Amino acid sequence: MADEQWGPAVRLLWGPPPGPPARGPRRGLTLEGIAGAGVAIADAEGLGGVSMQRVAAELAVTKMALYRYVPGKAELVALMAEAAMPDPAAGLDAALERAGSGWRERLGAWARELLAAFRAHPWLLRATVGARAVGPREVGWLERALAALEGCGLNGAESMDAVVLVAGHVRGIAEQERAVSAGGAAGAAVAGGATGGGPDVELGAVLGEVMRLRGADFPALGAALASVARDGGQDQALDFGLERILDGIGLLVAARGTGA
C-alpha cells in the first residue's frame, strides 16, 4: 500500500530525472524548474495557491504537458518541499561545525537552522506533516540531528524521540510566527499601517489590554507581565523552550552515564 500511495513521489525524489515525454513537443521541462515554479507561487500566496494548472501556466505549458513529468499535486508538493529545504551539506553543516562537538550545542544549532528554513518558506509547515514521501534533503536533516546525539548512550528510539521533540518545538514557534505575520498583515491592511513584534509581543499587547480592564482578577498574571516589562525577556520562547528540552535530554544522557 505504501508503495502504491507514495511510490511515484519517492521515485521522483530519489530516482534519476525522467527523460523527455514519449509523445508531444519537447518543452525542456525539468523537475527542478517545475519545483521552483511551485515554490515561487507558494512563497507568494501560500500552499493553497499552488495547483497543477497554476504551475503549468507559470512554465508556459499545458497542464497535460506538466502531467507527463509530475503525476499530481501530492508529488508536486513533495518536489517543492525538497527544493525549499536548504541543502544540509551547505549551510547546516557549516552551522554545526561552528557549534562545536557537543551534542547540546549541535542540536541547538540544528534547531535554529530549521527555524530559519520555516521562516524562509512558511508553507513548509503544511507541506512537511503527516505520512508522505520525503526527499534526500529532509532525510539529510534528520541524519544530522541523530548524528549529533551519537555517543550519548541513547538508544535509537530515544534519539528519534529527542529529535522529534526538538523539531516539534521549532514547528510550534514557527507556527506562532506565521499566525502573527498573517494577522499583522491583515491588521495593517485594515488600518493602513504597519504592525510589528513577535508572538510574545503580540500576546503581551492583548494581555495588557485585558489587565487594563480586569487586572484585579488576575494578580499572578499582572505580576508576571510587570516583571517582563521591568526585566525584559519577551520573544525568548524559542531559546527558553529549547534550553529546557535540552536540559531534559541532558538528564537522560547523564542517566546513561556516558557524560557525552
Side-chain angles (χ1 to χ4, degrees):
M1 173 62 76
D3 183 65
E4 294 177 4
Q5 185 175 0
W6 302 309
V10 169
R11 287 190 289 273
L12 288 174
L13 291 167
W14 293 90
R23 295 178 297 173
R26 296 182 63 175
R27 299 288 188 175
L29 294 182
T30 65
L31 294 182
E32 292 77 11
I34 293 169
V39 168
I41 295 170
D43 284 347
E45 304 177 26
L47 200 58
V50 176
S51 68
M52 297 291 284
Q53 183 66 54
R54 283 291 309 280
V55 172
E58 288 292 320
L59 296 169
V61 299
T62 66
K63 185 166 66 171
M64 290 308 299
L66 186 60
Y67 276 121
R68 297 189 183 107
Y69 292 84
V70 181
K73 184 175 178 180
E75 292 78 15
L76 172 62
V77 172
L79 289 172
M80 289 165 50
E82 175 68 7
M85 282 296 293
D87 183 352
L92 177 59
D93 282 351
L96 296 178
E97 184 68 23
R98 290 192 300 270
S101 59
W103 69 265
R104 185 181 184 115
E105 293 75 19
R106 292 176 72 84
L107 203 53
W110 181 89
R112 291 180 177 87
E113 291 296 311
L114 181 60
L115 181 59
F118 286 139
R119 284 171 170 169
H121 305 284
W123 54 270
L124 277 173
L125 291 163
R126 284 183 57 195
T128 56
V129 294
R132 59 196 168 81
V134 295
R137 289 187 177 184
E138 194 171 350
V139 174
W141 276 75
L142 177 60
E143 171 69 16
R144 268 72 170 182
L146 292 172
L149 291 168
E150 285 184 344
C152 290
L154 306 185
N155 61 38
E158 290 168 341
S159 294
M160 289 287 289
D161 286 345
V163 172
V164 169
L165 185 61
V166 171
H169 175 60
V170 172
R171 294 183 71 93
I173 296 298
E175 287 280 10
Q176 291 180 44
E177 292 183 350
R178 184 191 62 78
V180 167
S181 177
V190 171
T195 61
D200 289 358
V201 172
E202 296 284 340
L203 178 60
V206 172
L207 291 177
E209 181 64 12
V210 171
M211 296 306 296
R212 187 183 70 81
L213 296 173
R214 299 288 298 273
D217 295 336
F218 308 101
L221 176 59
L225 291 175
S227 174
V228 169
R230 182 178 64 251
D231 304 324
Q234 283 187 323
D235 285 336
Q236 300 299 314
L238 172 70
D239 289 340
F240 181 85
L242 180 59
E243 290 303 311
R244 302 295 74 77
I245 291 170
L246 296 177
D247 286 345
I249 298 172
L251 291 174
L252 184 58
V253 170
R256 296 290 182 268
T258 65

